[in-house]
Amino acid sequence: MTLSDDPANTLRDLPFTYPERGWTAWSEPPAGYRAVQRSVVLGSGPEVFARAGTALLSWQMHRRAGIDLISTDRTAVVGARVLLRVGIGRLAVTAPCQVVYTVRDPNRHGFAYGTLTGHPVSGEESFVVHLGDDERVTFTVRAFSRPATVLARLGGPFTTLVQQFGTSRYLAALRTLSTS
């Protein structure tokens, strides 16, 4: 995929690569996908919750995790399209996504995005920060995916390891951003 000077134009007409949009908000992933769910306690209190929510919804977590990100919107809003880029030069992988839902409740902030054509996998990933009754702040990443390109299919277990590494980077990045 070639990114033009106008990312909105580049991403505008890309279709979703899966039909089960919004399923990361449910308890069970759709059949035929690999599911992931990982959580980390970020700290406690409304201040940590507010910092984590702001960092998450303004794409700071992605950038702190080492992902180049171009977005059609400054924050995660339904319909926002993003182009994630990981790697260097010709070895970089681009991954276009679109935000499919957001969560903005008094005790939960977050969003989920789904994959668009050109992403190496097909599926959805959600990122939600929760302030519990005990004031503990927890960050959870949920995803379901399957390979969408020949390269991702050929990668087999390596593709899964890359996804696990990415999830670990997200968890560590938001922990750092919410406590600094």
Side-chain angles (χ1 to χ4, degrees), residues 48-152:
V48 171
F49 175 68
R51 280 194 301 271
T54 298
L56 177 61
L57 294 168
S58 65
W59 309 116
Q60 292 174 51
M61 178 201 68
H62 284 78
R63 291 184 175 103
R64 174 61 71 113
I67 296 173
D68 290 330
L69 180 140
I70 297 171
S71 177
T72 58
D73 294 84
R74 296 182 79 172
T75 60
V77 295
V78 173
R81 288 188 168 219
V82 295
L83 184 65
L84 311 171
R85 187 169 185 268
V86 180
I88 301 169
R90 293 180 160 242
L91 298 177
V93 175
T94 57
C97 300
Q98 181 175 323
V99 175
V100 294
Y101 68 83
T102 59
V103 179
R104 293 180 192 232
D105 299 332
N107 295 327
R108 293 184 330 129
H109 293 307
F111 69 94
Y113 53 43
T115 58
L116 302 173
T117 298
H119 198 295
V121 299
S122 176
E124 188 172 288
E125 191 165 28
S126 71
F127 310 91
V128 178
V129 177
H130 178 255
L131 175 63
D133 292 338
D134 60 357
E135 293 205 348
R136 183 170 47 176
V137 180
T138 306
F139 173 47
T140 301
V141 178
R142 296 184 77 202
F144 64 86
S145 66
R146 60 183 171 208
T149 64
V150 171
L151 188 58

Side-chain angles (χ1 to χ4, degrees), residues 28-48:
E28 294 295 322
Y33 293 89
R34 181 181 168 279
V36 172
Q37 179 170 321
R38 290 186 50 201
S39 298
V40 65
V41 175
L42 301 176
S44 64
E47 298 82 18
V48 171

